[in-house]
Amino acid sequence: MTKKSQHVVPAPDGGWNVKKAGAERASKHFSTQGKAVDWARSVSRNEKSELVIHRRDGTIRDKDS
């Protein structure tokens, strides 16, 4: 995992968060995983970093670099 990777993770109160690797707080919150993935993909492309998409149970669903 690269240091600057973006993670799409389930939010504890529902919805989905986008977090930078190692960060405690979310960069942004979304109601759907699709919207979170779209936003995180554009951020990861701009930063030339990896995108990691998690399932609702927290396991990794997909990676995109």
Side-chain angles (χ1 to χ4, degrees):
M1 178 184 344
T2 61
K3 184 72 173 165
K4 295 192 305 182
S5 60
Q6 298 290 324
H7 292 255
V8 176
V9 296
D13 57 346
W16 294 85
N17 289 334
V18 177
K19 287 185 171 183
K20 188 173 277 198
E24 289 186 29
R25 292 179 28 196
S27 303
K28 202 157 180 169
H29 176 80
F30 296 89
S31 58
T32 67
Q33 188 182 37
K35 291 177 183 176
V37 168
D38 290 344
W39 187 81
R41 182 167 280 130
S42 70
V43 171
S44 66
R45 283 184 181 151
N46 288 340
E47 294 183 351
K48 294 182 172 59
S49 62
E50 185 174 33
L51 171 62
V52 182
I53 304 166
H54 296 260
R55 290 185 182 94
R56 180 63 63 192
D57 66 2
T59 59
I60 295 174
R61 184 186 98 183
D62 197 14
K63 288 185 179 183
D64 188 10
S65 45

